[in-house]
Amino acid sequence: MPRHDINDLIAFLAVARERSFTRAAARLGVSQSALSHTVRALEERLGVRLLTRTTRSVAPTEAGQRLLQGVGPRLEEIEAELVALGELRDKPAGSIRITSGEHSAETILWPALANFLPRYPDIKVELTVDEALTDIVAERYDAGVRLGEQVAKDMIAVRIAPDFRMVVVGAPSYFKRRERPKQPQDLTEHTCINIRMRTHGNIYAWEFEKRGRAMKVRVDGQLVFNSGALRIKAVMAGLGLGYVPEDRVRAQLAKGQLIQVLDDWCAPFPGYHLYYPSRRQSSPAFALLVQALRYRG
């Protein structure tokens, strides 16, 4: 394939992804008029319109969408290979993008990164905290962090943490006026801090298990949060019972600031895993970060 065809394809892909000649031109470092001329020349050679242009928007045609889906991933693989080759030097370098939930970001990734990054000053990490089950391939992340049971089968998964539990806790001030629940069903008679799931927007049903018997309980209360930190603050204030990661409240439990209930119903969840596409060519920088995160317990 002639070199200008490859360059024209790169120009088209930039416009198709950005849905804007202005943003694509800025990304490629060329003028908007030159970029428009390049895409028109490609359309003329192929004999088919690739983009629908209006005064307000730019969108791929059916042919353009087919070219975007068919050629885009292949050019990305070529770019990844070139980046990997460029990083084969004495000092590992490069940028790594990771998406993670709040709990794993604060308790696992941040402590590891604080120790890892000073040793490798040429490696950059972008960490996005998002509870949604992000499509890391479509969003162009290098890796994601989720519970083991949430990782798709076609991904490579590396355990980075042990199993952990969600526990039910309340403040001593709350239990001064309310009896402690003895069964999960008792929670329906209590004021609870609800959890809004960012993945699908629903209220989360608290999950319990004992001797192989699984149960979900939908609770009620005055507060709903999608933040673990705010749930703990609300529980500490005596505003209701909370369902929180055990490791986040160990200190408060040890000091008597919180009281744990239904302990025998709180079974462990599969621990967090770092996951990434099986076809990904691992760069030296990424391989080092995986090794630094790998759980060895």
Side-chain angles (χ1 to χ4, degrees):
M1 177 183 288
R3 178 180 294 273
H4 62 74
D5 280 351
I6 296 177
N7 291 336
D8 292 356
L9 283 171
I10 292 173
F12 160 74
L13 292 172
V15 177
R17 285 171 177 153
E18 295 290 344
R19 300 295 179 100
S20 164
F21 277 91
T22 302
R23 291 194 296 271
R27 176 177 153 191
L28 295 174
V30 299
S31 69
Q32 187 175 339
S33 59
L35 183 58
S36 179
H37 176 77
T38 298
V39 174
R40 287 192 183 279
L42 177 62
E43 289 176 323
E44 290 174 2
R45 287 200 304 279
L46 295 177
V48 64
R49 182 174 291 277
L50 300 174
L51 296 171
T52 299
R53 306 164 176 82
T54 68
T55 56
R56 294 186 177 182
S57 65
V58 177
T61 63
E62 181 179 355
Q65 188 65 32
R66 180 174 177 179
L67 187 61
L68 175 63
Q69 294 175 345
V71 176
R74 291 173 174 82
L75 284 180
E76 288 177 356
E77 289 179 2
I78 292 172
E79 291 174 357
E81 290 291 344
L82 292 175
V83 170
L85 288 174
E87 292 178 348
L88 292 176
R89 55 188 182 186
D90 293 338
K91 292 184 178 181
S95 297
I96 301 170
R97 299 184 70 228
I98 303 174
T99 175
S100 167
E102 178 187 43
H103 180 226
S104 54
E106 292 183 356
T107 61
I108 300 166
L109 292 180
W110 169 241
L113 290 174
N115 181 57
F116 174 82
L117 291 176
R119 291 185 284 137
Y120 300 102
D122 293 325
I123 295 178
K124 298 179 181 180
V125 175
E126 177 184 343
L127 175 58
T128 300
V129 176
D130 186 358
E131 302 296 338
L133 298 178
T134 304
D135 184 336
I136 62 172
V137 176
E139 299 299 326
R140 307 184 75 178
Y141 284 99
D142 294 292
V145 175
R146 293 293 179 265
L147 294 174
E149 62 187 16
Q150 296 175 323
V151 178
K153 300 299 183 183
D154 60 345
M155 293 284 175
I156 292 177
V158 178
R159 179 182 278 270
I160 60 174
D163 292 349
F164 76 97
R165 296 196 308 166
M166 297 288 288
V167 296
V168 181
V169 295
S173 60
Y174 177 86
F175 287 117
K176 283 183 179 179
R177 60 183 188 274
R178 304 294 297 272
E179 291 186 5
R180 301 185 188 188
K182 297 179 175 60
Q183 302 289 331
Q185 301 94 316
D186 297 343
L187 292 170
T188 59
E189 304 299 322
H190 282 262
T191 301
C192 298
I193 313 300
N194 256 311
I195 305 169
R196 175 76 68 181
M197 298 299 290
R198 297 178 187 176
T199 50
H200 43 67
N202 293 339
I203 298 295
Y204 175 71
W206 296 9
E207 299 182 61
F208 300 96
E209 184 178 338
K210 182 178 180 181
R211 300 191 189 99
R213 180 189 175 193
M215 182 185 304
K216 292 185 177 182
V217 178
R218 296 198 175 276
V219 299
D220 195 15
Q222 293 179 282
L223 290 169
V224 181
F225 292 120
N226 63 4
S227 164
L230 288 176
R231 292 203 309 274
I232 294 173
K233 287 181 181 294
V235 174
M236 293 284 291
L239 296 178
L241 300 182
Y243 188 68
V244 299
E246 185 178 26
D247 61 295
R248 295 292 297 273
V249 293
R250 282 201 182 101
Q252 294 92 325
L253 290 170
K255 295 176 183 177
Q257 296 171 331
L258 289 177
I259 297 170
Q260 183 177 340
V261 294
L262 301 175
D263 179 70
D264 56 341
W265 278 95
C266 296
F269 285 84
Y272 288 111
H273 287 64
L274 183 82
Y275 67 97
Y276 51 94
S278 57
R279 68 179 181 177
R280 188 188 193 283
Q281 178 64 42
S282 179
S283 69
F286 185 77
L288 283 169
L289 182 58
V290 172
Q291 284 302 109
L293 290 170
R294 187 183 297 274
Y295 177 65
R296 296 176 175 81

